[in-house]
Amino acid sequence: MAKKILIVGGVAGGASAAARLRRLDETAEIILFEKGPHISYSNCALPYSLSGIVTDPDSLILMTAERFWSQHRIEVRTASEVTEILRAEKKVRVHEAGGRVYEESYDALILSPGAEPIVPPIPGADAPQVFTLKDPEDAAAIRAALDGKEAPKAAVIGGGFIGVEAAVNLAARAEVTLIEAADQILTPFDRDMAQILQKELLDHGVRLVLKDGIAAVQDGAVRLASGRRIPADLVVMAIGVRPRTSLARAAGLAIGESGAIAVDADGRTSDPAIYAVGDAAEVALPLKRAAGRLSLAFPAQKEARRAADAICGRTSANRGYLGSFGIEVFGLRSAATGLNERDIAAQHIPHETAYVIPFDRVSLMPGASPLHLKVHFEVPTGRLLGAQAVGQGAPDRRIDVIAALIAKGGTLEDMADVDLCYAPPFATAKDAVHLAGLVGLNLLHGEFRQVPASVVRRLVETGAYIADVREPGEYAAGHIRGAVNLPLSELRDRLGELPADRPIYVHCRSGQRSYYACRILAAHGFREVYNIAGSYLALCLFEYAEDQLTGRAPIVTAYNFN
């Protein structure tokens, strides 16, 4: 007898599960319930409709109920909310928008209710100028609020993915202030990498407020916890999302420690006839040795496929997720995979970090620009733990390579040896991935020691000896205050000028020449020599945004970002 499968919620999870079920079982009766008007839309592209990058808002709708039926013979019931699961009877209770209430039986049930935006319970949270950005209707409402206004002021609350993308795209039509309670935007990135993106926001006119939360929306402005007032004609709440679990909780299904629905390797809940996928379900995060939440499209689609396979008697491996992601901030692209510094610290994993800033293609080619690549690895095994990249070229390609290596338990040796494509317009013969692997191996085997750019301010303030091995013209164009210029080309002839009884911190533009200098000094008997990872370029990027936001005195005579 044909199976009857009900699906609660569409978009990446529910719609993908429905389509996979049909491919596996032509006879199954499949019904998808969606509370809203759309079963499948590109929620990841919603911010880009605010600026006009997505020129036709209707293109955000990827599938209609009519097409789903004609192509897949899957019945879609929009404006239909499943309000209760009657587990003992294997039925759900459905409320239609018109008022009709009925029950529908199932052999298998898939929950894909997604997540809902977090709106803090503050005065004015329900004001007409306050919006969220979760579906095409929200995006349309924001566009309508902007229409006809000359230089409107917009406040975006939250510096996560949606908040940053909303700020970037609103900047094409409004004066934007991005407000984040943490000390950086995009907390999945390490702080030094996030600083590069914060500079990009500032350079494009987005005002940035950090370490301050929203207290109220009133009198045409956002009032912050500090008492500061930010004028705002419209406010976009992008603080974050929480999984929609009320239906599952009411049905007595197990909820995981992350607050999402607990599932097994096949997406099955504590009820063997009920599955959960997408933002509402927990996922395995093997690097974190835990289950957690990932509001990303690819995991949702994989979960949907796995649940559909299980319902149809198929098995598939569940290796969990690394949480790989990417985001574009004006002219910079960025991507990351695996563990960041906070994750590693939480697990007390002994580790080191390779940070390189090579050109993203052969330097003489048009468009060549610096690529910041940071790779965390375990000590002493060299096992890859995570990586982050920022640049104008293709940082995502480098992160994709490293993600594949991490998924297979790869090490620095694998990364330094991986066979990658090369041509001058899109890479260097020794790619950034190779260079990071080689730097990591040097660190792993004690060939040199390093400190991050984040400690340089403390070094300057405590009078540490800092050697700048760039050429005199580079030094004159901008240098660390108090640093001594000892060009690499002169270093061997001036060893007598260096102190033998205190640590020496060496830097150049990006870290390559200073590495050479560290090897020279070590060969000549200097015992405490440290390369400043990323050197002057990384330091300027790390310091700039904080200097601009706080007004503190710079520790460099001039910023240099090239």
Side-chain angles (χ1 to χ4, degrees):
M1 188 167 60
K3 292 179 183 176
K4 185 175 182 180
I5 305 164
L6 306 184
I7 302 173
V8 180
V11 199
S16 296
R20 176 64 173 170
L21 284 165
R22 177 55 76 221
R23 292 195 297 274
L24 297 178
D25 188 344
E26 181 66 17
T27 65
E29 181 182 1
I30 305 170
I31 304 172
L32 189 153
F33 299 94
E34 174 54 55
K35 180 181 177 180
H38 308 298
I39 58 162
S40 182
Y41 55 85
S42 179
N43 48 0
C44 296
L46 290 174
Y48 300 94
S49 71
L50 304 180
S51 60
I53 290 176
V54 174
T55 56
D56 179 10
D58 291 339
S59 67
L60 294 168
I61 310 303
L62 303 178
M63 178 65 71
T64 64
E66 293 75 20
R67 282 179 59 204
F68 223 38
W69 173 257
S70 64
Q71 292 183 7
H72 303 295
R73 286 299 186 267
I74 293 170
E75 182 180 355
V76 175
R77 301 178 186 175
T78 55
S80 299
E81 181 180 7
V82 174
T83 58
E84 188 176 359
I85 302 172
L86 309 171
R87 289 172 54 192
E89 304 169 45
K90 296 186 77 169
K91 292 181 179 180
V92 299
R93 182 164 290 129
V94 184
H95 284 236
E96 291 183 344
R100 177 178 172 240
V101 179
Y102 65 94
E103 294 177 358
E104 196 74 56
S105 63
Y106 63 83
D107 295 308
L109 173 65
I110 298 178
L111 302 179
S112 181
E116 59 188 358
I118 296 172
V119 178
I122 58 171
D126 57 352
Q129 73 266 36
V130 177
F131 304 89
T132 57
L133 186 54
K134 68 182 185 300
D135 55 37
E137 287 68 39
D138 285 344
I142 294 172
R143 291 194 302 271
L146 292 169
D147 289 344
K149 290 186 173 64
E150 185 175 345
K153 292 178 171 59
V156 179
I157 315 301
F161 297 121
I162 296 298
V164 171
E165 288 177 335
V168 168
N169 285 278
L170 284 170
R173 303 183 62 184
E175 297 177 16
V176 179
T177 301
L178 179 60
I179 300 162
E180 169 56 53
D183 63 356
Q184 68 171 76
I185 63 168
L186 298 169
T187 53
F189 281 112
D190 293 337
R191 191 158 181 264
D192 51 357
M193 304 301 273
Q195 293 278 33
I196 304 172
L197 301 174
Q198 288 176 181
K199 175 185 179 298
E200 189 73 1
L201 288 169
L202 293 171
D203 287 350
H204 285 80
V206 174
R207 297 173 63 196
L208 196 56
V209 177
L210 301 177
K211 295 184 283 189
D212 210 346
I214 185 171
V217 179
Q218 57 189 32
D219 302 324
V222 169
R223 182 167 56 81
L224 302 181
S226 64
R228 186 175 177 182
R229 184 178 178 276
I230 308 294
D233 299 305
L234 65 93
V235 179
V236 178
M237 290 287 184
I239 294 173
V241 297
R242 64 170 65 93
R244 288 191 173 105
T245 59
S246 57
L247 188 63
R249 289 177 185 273
L253 300 179
I255 303 299
E257 291 185 8
S258 71
I261 303 169
V263 295
D264 67 9
D266 292 320
R268 191 180 289 106
T269 70
S270 54
D271 185 320
I274 304 176
Y275 297 75
V277 302
D279 292 354
E282 281 195 328
V283 297
L285 303 171
L287 288 180
K288 294 185 178 181
R289 301 175 186 177
R293 293 157 45 194
L294 279 180
S295 295
L296 299 169
F298 176 62
Q301 293 191 355
K302 277 190 68 176
E303 295 161 49
R305 183 182 181 92
R306 188 176 293 113
D309 284 359
I311 290 171
C312 294
R314 295 192 174 203
T315 58
S316 56
N318 185 344
R319 299 183 177 90
Y321 302 92
L322 301 178
S324 305
F325 66 87
I327 184 171
E328 187 174 49
V329 179
F330 294 109
L332 287 180
R333 293 179 174 182
S334 58
T337 190
L339 303 180
N340 60 30
E341 287 175 339
R342 290 176 298 280
D343 298 327
I344 294 169
Q347 293 192 50
H348 306 288
I349 301 173
H351 79 288
E352 254 289 5
T353 301
Y355 185 2
V356 297
I357 317 176
F359 281 101
D360 59 352
R361 65 196 76 180
V362 173
S363 59
L364 56 85
M365 297 300 294
S369 61
L371 174 69
H372 295 252
L373 176 60
K374 185 177 184 182
V375 180
H376 300 303
F377 58 91
E378 186 179 51
V379 174
T381 65
R383 178 173 65 101
L384 301 174
L385 299 173
Q388 303 172 26
V390 180
Q392 295 177 8
D396 53 317
R397 182 168 71 82
R398 278 71 180 198
I399 295 301
D400 284 341
V401 170
I402 298 171
L405 292 172
I406 293 175
K408 296 299 182 182
T411 66
L412 289 169
E413 293 278 3
D414 298 315
M415 195 167 80
D417 194 47
V418 64
D419 197 347
L420 300 178
C421 299
Y422 160 66
F426 55 79
T428 51
K430 192 180 290 181
D431 189 72
V433 171
H434 299 129
L435 291 172
L438 293 169
V439 169
L441 287 170
N442 284 337
L443 289 166
L444 188 68
H445 298 308
E447 299 287 347
F448 77 105
R449 290 180 287 180
Q450 68 176 10
V451 294
S454 59
V455 306
V456 174
R457 177 170 285 274
R458 177 173 56 82
L459 295 178
V460 172
E461 291 171 349
T462 56
Y465 188 92
I466 300 174
D468 183 337
V469 299
R470 298 176 300 162
E471 294 303 306
E474 296 175 274
Y475 180 87
H479 58 267
I480 298 172
R481 298 186 187 278
V484 178
N485 188 211
L486 293 168
L488 181 65
S489 58
E490 304 173 12
L491 186 59
R492 289 180 178 87
D493 299 323
R494 298 175 61 182
L495 294 175
E497 300 177 30
L498 288 150
D501 58 349
R502 58 190 296 206
I504 299 171
Y505 299 91
V506 188
H507 82 87
C508 60
R509 171 190 166 274
S510 64
Q512 184 177 36
R513 285 174 289 173
S514 53
Y515 163 67
Y516 299 155
C518 287
R519 299 303 297 265
I520 292 169
L521 295 178
H524 285 272
F526 290 89
R527 294 179 178 273
E528 280 198 85
V529 181
Y530 300 88
N531 191 12
I532 297 175
S535 287
Y536 198 72
L537 181 54
L539 175 66
C540 287
L541 288 164
F542 184 81
E543 291 284 317
Y544 176 82
E546 193 73 16
D547 291 351
Q548 300 304 305
L549 293 172
T550 64
R552 69 186 185 186
I555 59 171
V556 296
T557 60
Y559 301 107
N560 188 336
F561 306 117
N562 298 301

